[in-house]
Amino acid sequence: ANKKAFVVGGKMKIFPITENLFKERMAVAGAEALRQWSATSRDVAVLVDLRTPREIDATSTLEHAQVLDYNAGQFTQALPSFLKDKTYFVFCGSGIRSKRAVADLEAAGFQVVNCGTFADLKDAGFAVLVK
């Protein structure tokens, strides 16, 4: 069976790969990395919400998130203005857009963390903007 290694709780763990387990472990790893970033300086990292305005209107977004609608091309348009000395933490509604954004950012030489979905981060206790 295929297996994937993840750092969870500061320890390397190996899990068999299934789609749901992979998404769950990515969300845990992304949330832990984001929590470490939140405890340090926002000057070294950028939190990016890749969801559509309709999704954000329905659920809000995370505090300090820069909203760049991936489907409307805002993310691609903004990419040339991204700074190489920052780490980008990306999330979306289902995980598909954040996975694509990670590939785009890595191909361009950026440091990036896939934080999974808005729901994952909200459930992990990250501050949501009040409407």
Side-chain angles (χ1 to χ4, degrees):
N2 290 332
K3 295 187 177 198
K4 182 76 176 172
F6 293 93
V7 176
V8 178
K11 296 181 180 178
M12 181 68 72
K13 296 187 178 185
I14 298 179
F15 298 95
I17 294 178
T18 66
E19 189 63 26
N20 287 338
L21 183 60
F22 181 74
K23 286 180 184 177
E24 178 185 327
R25 297 302 174 205
M26 284 299 294
V28 168
E32 283 188 17
L34 184 57
R35 201 172 315 284
Q36 290 172 6
W37 165 72
S38 296
T40 62
S41 173
R42 288 183 182 84
D43 294 336
V44 298
V46 179
L47 178 61
V48 182
D49 186 340
L50 300 165
R51 297 175 303 142
T52 65
R54 185 176 179 182
E55 289 173 288
I56 291 168
D57 286 346
T59 61
S60 190
T61 189
L62 297 182
E63 193 172 65
H64 307 293
Q66 178 180 357
V67 178
L68 296 172
D69 182 349
Y70 191 90
N71 292 345
Q74 292 176 350
F75 172 81
T76 304
Q77 290 171 349
L79 194 55
S81 68
F82 285 11
L83 301 173
K84 297 271 183 172
D85 63 342
K86 297 197 182 277
T87 300
Y88 292 85
F89 293 83
V90 297
F91 67 94
C92 64
S94 66
I96 295 169
R97 290 165 286 187
S98 58
K99 182 178 178 181
R100 290 178 181 157
V102 165
D104 294 342
L105 286 164
E106 285 178 341
F110 290 95
Q111 292 183 15
V112 60
V113 176
N114 185 344
C115 293
T117 70
F118 171 76
D120 294 333
L121 296 172
K122 182 180 173 186
D123 291 348
F126 290 95
V128 175
L129 290 178
V130 178
K131 292 183 180 185

